[in-house]
Amino acid sequence: MKGVYFLISTLAILASATFLVSASDPSPLQDFCVALNDTKSAEAVFVNGKFCKDPKLANANDFFFSGLQNPRNTQNPLGSNVTAVNVDNLLGLNTLGISLARIDFAPNGLNPPHTHPRATEILVVLEGTLYVGFVTSNGDGNRLFTKVLNKGDVFVFPIGLIHFQLNVGHVNAVAFAGLSSQNPGVITIAKAVFGSQPPINPDVLAKAFQVDDNVVDNLQKQFWYDNN
Amino acid sequence: MKGVYFLISTLAILASATFLVSASDPSPLQDFCVALNDTKSAEAVFVNGKFCKDPKLANANDFFFSGLQNPRNTQNPLGSNVTAVNVDNLLGLNTLGISLARIDFAPNGLNPPHTHPRATEILVVLEGTLYVGFVTSNGDGNRLFTKVLNKGDVFVFPIGLIHFQLNVGHVNAVAFAGLSSQNPGVITIAKAVFGSQPPINPDVLAKAFQVDDNVVDNLQKQFWYDNN
Amino acid sequence: MKGVYFLISTLAILASATFLVSASDPSPLQDFCVALNDTKSAEAVFVNGKFCKDPKLANANDFFFSGLQNPRNTQNPLGSNVTAVNVDNLLGLNTLGISLARIDFAPNGLNPPHTHPRATEILVVLEGTLYVGFVTSNGDGNRLFTKVLNKGDVFVFPIGLIHFQLNVGHVNAVAFAGLSSQNPGVITIAKAVFGSQPPINPDVLAKAFQVDDNVVDNLQKQFWYDNN
Amino acid sequence: MKGVYFLISTLAILASATFLVSASDPSPLQDFCVALNDTKSAEAVFVNGKFCKDPKLANANDFFFSGLQNPRNTQNPLGSNVTAVNVDNLLGLNTLGISLARIDFAPNGLNPPHTHPRATEILVVLEGTLYVGFVTSNGDGNRLFTKVLNKGDVFVFPIGLIHFQLNVGHVNAVAFAGLSSQNPGVITIAKAVFGSQPPINPDVLAKAFQVDDNVVDNLQKQFWYDNN
Amino acid sequence: MKGVYFLISTLAILASATFLVSASDPSPLQDFCVALNDTKSAEAVFVNGKFCKDPKLANANDFFFSGLQNPRNTQNPLGSNVTAVNVDNLLGLNTLGISLARIDFAPNGLNPPHTHPRATEILVVLEGTLYVGFVTSNGDGNRLFTKVLNKGDVFVFPIGLIHFQLNVGHVNAVAFAGLSSQNPGVITIAKAVFGSQPPINPDVLAKAFQVDDNVVDNLQKQFWYDNN
Amino acid sequence: MKGVYFLISTLAILASATFLVSASDPSPLQDFCVALNDTKSAEAVFVNGKFCKDPKLANANDFFFSGLQNPRNTQNPLGSNVTAVNVDNLLGLNTLGISLARIDFAPNGLNPPHTHPRATEILVVLEGTLYVGFVTSNGDGNRLFTKVLNKGDVFVFPIGLIHFQLNVGHVNAVAFAGLSSQNPGVITIAKAVFGSQPPINPDVLAKAFQVDDNVVDNLQKQFWYDNN
């Protein structure tokens, strides 16, 4: 009877798809650790980062991603579209501390103020003209550093600082960005503050932004598009 | 003549106070590395973190700070006051990866939405009642996690996430917070976005917050108080 | 039938408890990684740190701990009592690199010489008067750094160094301490050396402490109270 | 007079150039730490990474690099040309853990087998067709993972593993690569082994490569072009 | 039937001890994390590093390895033999960031040019005379640093750099080496480049080494002995 | 006159080579960072770890140490002698995260209970028979793990835990140890607790060790030999 119980109990672990997880780290502890594909189980068990597949079963496709050659649809309220290539869709990046993104901008398109809690970003412009900038922390006086970038120009956004990119040219713009984490994370400021689920107590936001309650109310009722 | 030049050139290094710096790290590489006191020289040379004083000259006072017993003045637009004890005023913390803060709140006082780019925060309430919360990143759906805390309650704000504390009691409130860095950094969202120096291009903010240009204009004209 | 299966399979995870573990790290690789609760299974599998629960199931209570407002019982041989709030009882701390402790002292109460192998400690006195100190490593000459602390005073104990706190006032004392790890560990020197299980060969201790075998014998027969 | 003194003292820092260095780290310990420009002094003092300039003097140009839009000259023995954008020419990258490269290939152009001792590489093809691959370590059986990449395809080369890219198309090819370090380093295998300064003892190479001494002799006499 | 199969295959994970894995890290997050023994299951799940056994079941044998006193057989094409003591055969090393090796050399025996992608090596000669060296990266000019070592001499090979040891004495030589990782990895240059599975496209190697195709062909047909 | 003094005292920094310092780190950020030699200046400036010399001036001797072949004098109260090869005497180890030690034991010689605050130790016995052990932390019950080691046996002492080695054979014993830091540090328990400079308040020690004041007094009056 104990054997049967054991069988069943063991079943739970894989059958209910617990091992979606994969261990990722600041530094890999073997040649690579290809992430196991996430599944949709409610009883999931995770580790910091992602679980890995058996290295003997790893192959070149685990380190491959295709499709960055195509412009993305920018017909949305922000006029921009971020295509991220990170550990969620390029499993071989697990534990390796880097990822990539393609960003498309319509004219006037904006990648709005946001932070990456776990990565610095280095951006290179492929087409078009971007006005970009970041703001330093309070202790540094919230200084704004900006630059207008043209084709072939590179700019750096240090980890954790609020930054943005705006297409100030008359045609579409495209940029590629490297990020110093396999899972950089994105926090779009306006969406996180006014579009959280559930909403933040309006008293907090009215006082923080020094505006009336009805301004906050209107902001919280808006639809906040996520271009990521 | 060369000797004279050498003398003078050498002088520059200390005399013009270049070595304010002190090397700090994720992990200390000796028992401790007490930070050298920062000076006001324009030709300063720095390292990641801070330079250290000669360890033979270190003494107990380098690891000591006094004065956290007293309530701070909260008569300001936010009704709150953060007293940080970090590597800037407790030099012995250099390289050791931790710091402390006392936060005073008047009734309705707010520590407005902000992030620490380099630290997780663990807060304990000493007096009063606080409504606290943090918002997860876009990939997690910008979920809001909140709690009302009373005396003796503890709450955790994970590194890089936007969080806040509001005094919802009728009397003053006091909290102590530990932070997982000797130099956590603070980015107050409203101040960094609308009060940066110089201001961010209003087109960026109007589009990001989906408001009219004159709303942005008014916000950028406000005085943004820094409670840190 | 499906429901029953689900119950059983779910049970397995917690009941047979194999994967209680949760991956913790110097740096989190996602917003957070709430630790799964440890269970008492002999077949347990662990990772460095702890396994995490499904982030979709995380909620505010995972980041909350209550009860630090109350004095703890100090009627024990040491006259002190450490209440630790770390990843073992505040699961949301997993991977976040910080924890907290409340320390109560009766008059003459002692938190005896100990080390934290994985954390620096920053202590603030809430009530009373403490004589505190730490000893540097051999290469630095085993120098003793001490200070008498009163209400509102702060002191730092660098990672890995032997340190202690003694209540030298006439009333109870209370301190809060932040520690730079979610699992700092504690090694109480006297208890680890003379109260290990099983005991260390007495020849080692007699020679190391330059005392007679019967002194060692008496020390090893004592009851070593753990105030943690 | 004070002004003159100041001039001289300042001169010393840059002219005698002793502290060109700047402290870089796995993680930044402030918002950023812009590298000081290296100079050519024999008395130089360095730190791990680079010294930083005074953060108050940092500006947007410190985070900016231009010129990646232009094809590079590939008329060399390898038919390839790597343009690296790292902490040596984009000083703001210091401490931030990421860098970038543009790689140009003539038809049949080769980026020969090499390792990056301090970085994983993620490569995206902008134009042309590349045959790329990496070899795992001995413990994994020195398995070769290869792929033919077209425009928009992405591939990952894990840290420390030997890898290469060959233009197998009929036209020029261009790729961009992100690297997980501000100073990844490059070791071109053939050049390091047969073109070191001074040469490695030929007995070592004859035995290691199982070839005659005269084969080694010829290889060591060749000119080894560095495409970096 | 599928259900039954699933049950059984799932069983493999725990019963056949798939959780060989164990979470290892740059820093341990508990006293130790003894690796679980690897097994041969195809459905294996892994983490970065290795899974750990229940710490309550750990004992002194988990931290013990025997047999380094005996000379190893050096009758092979290289005349050398590396006996590694790392996390694969000394499970207690998991998460602890160090390992050991004994290297035996026949007269003229060679430990051929190789890199450790995850470790610096410090070597001490017990018997005999070794000619040792390493080559710096391209940016440093591929400089060769060499030394002849006798009994009691120590030499350091920095992480990621190509290095080698040759017995230049008339008798057997023995060295011990410490490595700064529990899983340092080894990439023997000649074997990885000319003996990969499958072989690298000969065009790559002919161009990289500036030799004829038939030289490459001969090299790729050789048997590449692995002395590790 | 003050100016002249200032000039001269400042001179000390560069001329007397104060910049001994060199930035060391968990990970090197270039091929190597050879430590500058420490000098005896009171105005010294330091960084976390050590400053480095100009890499262009580095040579093979920076990575070389000689003399470990000779037995050390063990005629001292402990009957043991530790010869450490770390960043203080092998400057090339700076930033590379590893060091070495030779330990000589007379019959009954003891390497007394101590901790390394910054390193795990892996020990191999070259000659003789050692009784070795370590004690886990309080949370693990202060369990003692011991083993008797003979020639060729290996044992691991995890970072931060109290451990010791005793020669239980009839002849001299010799061991080599690798340590996972270029500057591991040593804290000999008995010496740090009873031989600190100045002495710890006897009330602390009497209560901690549950002994009379005169026992503490006698212990504090002893001469504490340092075998490192």
Side-chain angles (χ1 to χ4, degrees):
Chain A
M1 243 341 258
K2 206 173 173 181
V4 171
Y5 171 74
F6 189 65
L7 219 81
I8 294 174
S9 76
T10 310
L11 177 83
I13 289 162
L14 193 62
S16 69
T18 316
F19 289 148
L20 3 149
V21 220
S22 94
S24 136
D25 267 306
S27 310
L29 295 167
Q30 52 289 311
D31 285 359
F32 48 71
C33 164
V34 177
L36 278 184
N37 224 335
D38 228 355
T39 63
K40 308 295 178 221
S41 163
E43 309 80 10
V45 178
F46 297 82
V47 292
N48 192 22
K50 305 254 187 194
F51 276 111
C52 351
K53 71 190 283 189
D54 185 340
K56 289 188 296 294
L57 304 181
N59 60 64
N61 288 327
D62 291 323
F63 299 91
F64 174 70
F65 177 94
S66 66
L68 281 196
Q69 73 278 19
N70 301 125
R72 291 316 196 269
N73 185 350
T74 55
Q75 291 190 317
N76 61 53
L78 293 167
S80 70
N81 192 329
V82 179
T83 307
V85 182
N86 59 32
V87 69
D88 288 333
N89 52 14
L90 206 180
L91 303 175
L93 285 173
N94 195 33
T95 76
L96 297 178
I98 196 162
S99 59
L100 197 71
R102 173 191 171 115
I103 319 177
D104 287 274
F105 301 84
N108 296 315
L110 174 70
N111 193 9
H114 62 283
T115 68
H116 302 294
R118 292 179 291 279
T120 288
E121 177 177 342
I122 182 168
L123 177 140
V124 55
V125 176
L126 295 198
E127 298 294 341
T129 304
L130 297 176
Y131 162 76
V132 307
F134 66 82
V135 181
T136 66
S137 67
N138 290 19
D140 189 70
N142 298 127
R143 283 188 294 155
L144 175 69
F145 287 45
T146 61
K147 200 81 188 174
V148 172
L149 306 180
N150 293 299
K151 186 174 178 174
D153 287 352
V154 175
F155 203 76
V156 179
F157 306 100
I159 184 169
L161 301 189
I162 297 175
H163 61 287
F164 58 86
Q165 298 109 21
L166 176 69
N167 183 353
V168 292
H170 299 295
V171 295
N172 289 340
V174 185
F176 273 17
L179 295 122
S180 64
S181 167
Q182 68 264 21
N183 183 22
V186 180
I187 301 174
T188 303
I189 297 301
K191 182 176 184 300
V193 170
F194 293 105
S196 72
Q197 299 297 334
I200 294 176
N201 180 333
D203 294 349
V204 168
L205 300 179
K207 192 159 206 164
F209 286 86
Q210 309 189 57
V211 292
D212 291 343
D213 278 6
N214 67 329
V215 174
V216 170
D217 189 48
N218 283 336
L219 283 164
Q220 291 191 320
K221 280 180 181 156
Q222 295 194 28
F223 170 74
W224 294 96
Y225 182 79
D226 188 352
N227 71 334
N228 288 278
Chain B
M1 242 342 253
K2 205 173 173 182
V4 171
Y5 171 74
F6 188 65
L7 220 79
I8 293 174
S9 77
T10 312
L11 177 83
I13 288 165
L14 194 61
S16 69
T18 315
F19 290 148
L20 4 150
V21 220
S22 93
S24 136
D25 267 305
S27 309
L29 295 167
Q30 52 289 308
D31 285 359
F32 47 72
C33 165
V34 176
L36 278 184
N37 224 338
D38 228 356
T39 64
K40 308 297 178 218
S41 163
E43 311 79 9
V45 178
F46 297 81
V47 291
N48 193 21
K50 305 254 189 195
F51 276 112
C52 350
K53 73 190 282 190
D54 185 340
K56 290 187 296 293
L57 304 180
N59 60 63
N61 288 327
D62 290 324
F63 299 90
F64 174 70
F65 177 94
S66 65
L68 281 197
Q69 73 279 17
N70 300 126
R72 292 313 198 270
N73 186 349
T74 55
Q75 291 189 317
N76 60 53
L78 293 167
S80 70
N81 193 330
V82 178
T83 306
V85 183
N86 58 33
V87 69
D88 288 332
N89 52 14
L90 205 180
L91 303 174
L93 284 174
N94 195 32
T95 77
L96 297 178
I98 196 162
S99 60
L100 199 70
R102 175 193 169 113
I103 318 175
D104 288 273
F105 301 84
N108 296 314
L110 173 70
N111 194 9
H114 62 282
T115 68
H116 301 294
R118 292 178 292 279
T120 287
E121 177 177 343
I122 182 168
L123 177 142
V124 55
V125 177
L126 294 198
E127 299 295 341
T129 304
L130 296 176
Y131 162 76
V132 306
F134 66 81
V135 180
T136 65
S137 67
N138 291 18
D140 190 69
N142 297 129
R143 284 189 292 156
L144 174 69
F145 287 43
T146 62
K147 200 82 187 173
V148 173
L149 305 181
N150 294 298
K151 186 175 178 175
D153 288 351
V154 175
F155 203 76
V156 178
F157 307 100
I159 184 170
L161 302 189
I162 296 175
H163 61 286
F164 59 85
Q165 298 109 20
L166 175 69
N167 182 353
V168 292
H170 299 294
V171 296
N172 289 341
V174 185
F176 274 18
L179 295 122
S180 63
S181 168
Q182 68 264 21
N183 182 23
V186 180
I187 300 173
T188 302
I189 298 300
K191 181 175 185 299
V193 170
F194 293 104
S196 71
Q197 298 299 333
I200 293 176
N201 179 332
D203 293 349
V204 168
L205 299 179
K207 192 160 206 163
F209 285 86
Q210 309 188 54
V211 292
D212 292 342
D213 279 5
N214 67 329
V215 174
V216 170
D217 188 50
N218 284 335
L219 282 165
Q220 290 191 321
K221 280 182 181 154
Q222 296 195 28
F223 170 73
W224 294 96
Y225 181 79
D226 187 353
N227 70 334
N228 287 279
Chain C
M1 236 353 246
K2 207 172 171 181
V4 171
Y5 169 74
F6 188 66
L7 216 80
I8 293 173
S9 76
T10 310
L11 177 83
I13 289 167
L14 298 170
S16 76
T18 313
F19 292 72
L20 3 146
V21 220
S22 93
S24 136
D25 266 306
S27 309
L29 295 168
Q30 51 289 309
D31 285 358
F32 48 72
C33 164
V34 176
L36 279 183
N37 223 337
D38 228 354
T39 64
K40 308 298 178 217
S41 163
E43 307 84 4
V45 178
F46 297 81
V47 291
N48 194 21
K50 304 254 188 194
F51 277 111
C52 350
K53 70 190 282 189
D54 185 340
K56 291 187 295 294
L57 304 181
N59 59 64
N61 286 328
D62 290 324
F63 299 91
F64 174 69
F65 178 94
S66 65
L68 281 197
Q69 73 278 20
N70 300 126
R72 292 313 198 269
N73 186 349
T74 56
Q75 290 189 317
N76 60 54
L78 293 167
S80 70
N81 192 329
V82 178
T83 307
V85 182
N86 57 33
V87 68
D88 288 333
N89 53 14
L90 177 39
L91 302 175
L93 284 173
N94 195 33
T95 77
L96 296 178
I98 197 162
S99 59
L100 199 69
R102 174 191 170 115
I103 318 175
D104 288 273
F105 302 84
N108 297 316
L110 173 69
N111 193 11
H114 63 283
T115 68
H116 301 295
R118 291 179 293 279
T120 288
E121 177 177 342
I122 182 167
L123 177 141
V124 54
V125 177
L126 296 199
E127 300 293 341
T129 304
L130 297 176
Y131 162 76
V132 306
F134 66 82
V135 181
T136 65
S137 67
N138 290 18
D140 189 69
N142 298 128
R143 284 188 292 156
L144 175 69
F145 286 45
T146 61
K147 200 83 189 172
V148 173
L149 306 181
N150 294 297
K151 186 175 178 174
D153 288 351
V154 175
F155 203 75
V156 178
F157 306 100
I159 184 169
L161 302 189
I162 296 174
H163 61 285
F164 59 86
Q165 299 109 20
L166 176 68
N167 183 354
V168 292
H170 299 296
V171 295
N172 289 342
V174 185
F176 274 19
L179 296 122
S180 63
S181 166
Q182 68 264 19
N183 183 21
V186 180
I187 300 173
T188 302
I189 298 300
K191 182 176 185 299
V193 170
F194 293 105
S196 72
Q197 300 298 335
I200 293 175
N201 180 332
D203 293 349
V204 168
L205 299 178
K207 192 160 207 163
F209 286 86
Q210 308 189 59
V211 292
D212 291 342
D213 279 5
N214 66 331
V215 173
V216 170
D217 190 49
N218 284 335
L219 282 164
Q220 290 192 319
K221 281 180 180 156
Q222 296 195 27
F223 170 75
W224 295 96
Y225 182 79
D226 187 353
N227 70 335
N228 287 277
Chain D
M1 237 348 247
K2 207 173 171 183
V4 171
Y5 170 74
F6 190 66
L7 216 80
I8 294 173
S9 76
T10 310
L11 179 83
I13 288 167
L14 298 171
S16 76
T18 316
F19 294 72
L20 3 148
V21 222
S22 92
S24 135
D25 266 305
S27 309
L29 295 167
Q30 53 288 310
D31 285 359
F32 47 72
C33 163
V34 176
L36 278 183
N37 223 337
D38 228 355
T39 64
K40 309 297 178 217
S41 163
E43 307 83 5
V45 178
F46 296 82
V47 292
N48 193 21
K50 305 252 186 195
F51 276 111
C52 351
K53 70 189 284 189
D54 185 339
K56 290 188 295 294
L57 304 181
N59 59 63
N61 287 327
D62 291 323
F63 299 91
F64 174 71
F65 177 95
S66 66
L68 281 197
Q69 73 278 17
N70 301 124
R72 292 313 197 269
N73 186 349
T74 55
Q75 290 190 317
N76 61 54
L78 292 167
S80 70
N81 193 329
V82 178
T83 307
V85 183
N86 58 33
V87 69
D88 288 334
N89 52 15
L90 205 181
L91 303 174
L93 284 174
N94 195 31
T95 77
L96 296 179
I98 197 162
S99 59
L100 198 70
R102 174 191 170 114
I103 318 176
D104 288 274
F105 301 84
N108 296 315
L110 174 70
N111 193 10
H114 62 282
T115 68
H116 302 293
R118 293 178 291 280
T120 287
E121 176 177 343
I122 182 168
L123 177 141
V124 55
V125 177
L126 296 197
E127 299 294 340
T129 305
L130 298 175
Y131 162 76
V132 307
F134 67 81
V135 180
T136 66
S137 67
N138 291 18
D140 189 69
N142 298 128
R143 284 188 292 156
L144 174 69
F145 287 44
T146 62
K147 201 82 188 174
V148 173
L149 305 181
N150 294 298
K151 186 175 178 174
D153 287 351
V154 175
F155 203 75
V156 178
F157 306 100
I159 184 170
L161 301 189
I162 297 174
H163 61 285
F164 59 85
Q165 298 109 21
L166 176 68
N167 183 354
V168 292
H170 299 296
V171 295
N172 289 341
V174 185
F176 273 18
L179 295 122
S180 63
S181 167
Q182 68 263 21
N183 183 22
V186 180
I187 300 173
T188 302
I189 297 301
K191 182 176 185 298
V193 170
F194 293 104
S196 71
Q197 299 299 333
I200 294 176
N201 179 333
D203 293 349
V204 168
L205 299 179
K207 192 159 206 164
F209 286 86
Q210 308 190 56
V211 292
D212 291 344
D213 279 5
N214 65 331
V215 174
V216 170
D217 188 48
N218 284 335
L219 283 164
Q220 291 191 320
K221 281 181 181 157
Q222 296 196 27
F223 170 74
W224 294 96
Y225 181 79
D226 187 353
N227 70 334
N228 287 280
Chain E
M1 241 350 250
K2 205 172 172 182
V4 171
Y5 171 75
F6 191 63
L7 219 81
I8 293 172
S9 78
T10 310
L11 178 82
I13 289 170
L14 194 61
S16 73
T18 315
F19 291 141
L20 5 145
V21 217
S22 93
S24 138
D25 266 306
S27 310
L29 295 167
Q30 51 290 309
D31 285 359
F32 47 72
C33 163
V34 176
L36 278 185
N37 223 337
D38 229 355
T39 64
K40 308 299 178 217
S41 164
E43 308 82 3
V45 178
F46 297 81
V47 292
N48 193 21
K50 304 255 188 193
F51 277 109
C52 351
K53 72 190 283 191
D54 185 340
K56 291 187 294 295
L57 304 181
N59 59 65
N61 287 327
D62 291 323
F63 299 90
F64 174 69
F65 177 94
S66 66
L68 282 196
Q69 73 279 20
N70 300 125
R72 292 315 197 270
N73 185 351
T74 55
Q75 291 191 317
N76 60 53
L78 293 166
S80 71
N81 192 331
V82 179
T83 307
V85 182
N86 58 33
V87 69
D88 287 334
N89 52 15
L90 179 36
L91 303 175
L93 285 173
N94 195 34
T95 78
L96 296 178
I98 197 162
S99 60
L100 199 70
R102 174 192 171 114
I103 318 176
D104 288 273
F105 302 84
N108 297 314
L110 174 70
N111 193 9
H114 62 283
T115 68
H116 301 293
R118 292 178 293 279
T120 287
E121 177 176 342
I122 182 167
L123 177 141
V124 55
V125 177
L126 295 198
E127 299 294 340
T129 304
L130 297 176
Y131 161 76
V132 307
F134 66 81
V135 181
T136 65
S137 66
N138 290 18
D140 189 69
N142 298 129
R143 284 188 291 156
L144 175 69
F145 287 45
T146 61
K147 200 83 190 172
V148 173
L149 305 181
N150 294 298
K151 186 175 178 175
D153 288 351
V154 175
F155 203 76
V156 179
F157 306 100
I159 184 169
L161 301 189
I162 296 175
H163 61 287
F164 59 86
Q165 298 109 21
L166 176 68
N167 183 353
V168 293
H170 299 295
V171 295
N172 289 342
V174 186
F176 274 17
L179 295 123
S180 63
S181 167
Q182 68 264 21
N183 182 23
V186 180
I187 300 173
T188 302
I189 298 300
K191 182 176 184 297
V193 169
F194 294 104
S196 72
Q197 298 299 334
I200 293 177
N201 180 332
D203 294 349
V204 167
L205 300 179
K207 192 159 207 165
F209 286 86
Q210 308 189 56
V211 293
D212 292 342
D213 279 5
N214 66 329
V215 174
V216 170
D217 189 49
N218 284 335
L219 283 164
Q220 291 192 320
K221 281 181 180 156
Q222 295 196 28
F223 170 74
W224 295 97
Y225 182 79
D226 187 352
N227 70 335
N228 288 278
Chain F
M1 244 340 254
K2 206 173 171 181
V4 171
Y5 172 73
F6 189 64
L7 220 79
I8 293 172
S9 78
T10 310
L11 177 81
I13 289 169
L14 195 60
S16 72
T18 315
F19 290 140
L20 7 144
V21 218
S22 92
S24 137
D25 267 305
S27 310
L29 295 168
Q30 51 289 310
D31 285 359
F32 47 72
C33 164
V34 176
L36 279 183
N37 223 338
D38 229 354
T39 63
K40 307 299 178 217
S41 163
E43 308 81 5
V45 178
F46 296 81
V47 292
N48 193 23
K50 305 255 187 193
F51 277 111
C52 350
K53 72 189 283 189
D54 185 340
K56 290 187 295 293
L57 304 181
N59 60 63
N61 288 328
D62 291 323
F63 299 90
F64 174 69
F65 177 94
S66 66
L68 282 198
Q69 73 278 20
N70 300 126
R72 293 312 199 270
N73 186 350
T74 55
Q75 289 190 318
N76 61 53
L78 293 167
S80 70
N81 193 330
V82 178
T83 306
V85 182
N86 58 32
V87 69
D88 287 334
N89 52 14
L90 178 37
L91 302 175
L93 284 173
N94 195 33
T95 77
L96 296 179
I98 197 162
S99 59
L100 199 69
R102 176 192 167 112
I103 317 175
D104 287 272
F105 302 85
N108 296 314
L110 174 69
N111 193 10
H114 62 283
T115 68
H116 301 296
R118 290 178 294 279
T120 287
E121 177 177 342
I122 182 168
L123 177 142
V124 54
V125 177
L126 295 197
E127 298 294 341
T129 305
L130 297 175
Y131 162 78
V132 307
F134 66 81
V135 180
T136 65
S137 66
N138 290 19
D140 189 69
N142 298 128
R143 283 188 293 155
L144 175 69
F145 287 45
T146 62
K147 201 82 189 172
V148 173
L149 306 180
N150 293 298
K151 186 175 179 174
D153 287 351
V154 175
F155 204 75
V156 178
F157 306 100
I159 184 169
L161 301 190
I162 297 174
H163 61 285
F164 59 86
Q165 298 110 21
L166 176 69
N167 182 354
V168 291
H170 299 294
V171 296
N172 289 340
V174 185
F176 274 18
L179 295 121
S180 62
S181 167
Q182 67 262 22
N183 182 22
V186 180
I187 300 173
T188 303
I189 297 301
K191 182 175 185 299
V193 170
F194 293 104
S196 71
Q197 298 299 333
I200 294 176
N201 180 333
D203 294 349
V204 168
L205 300 178
K207 192 160 207 164
F209 286 86
Q210 308 190 55
V211 292
D212 291 343
D213 279 4
N214 66 329
V215 174
V216 170
D217 189 48
N218 283 337
L219 283 164
Q220 290 191 321
K221 280 180 180 155
Q222 295 196 29
F223 170 74
W224 294 95
Y225 181 79
D226 188 353
N227 71 334
N228 287 280

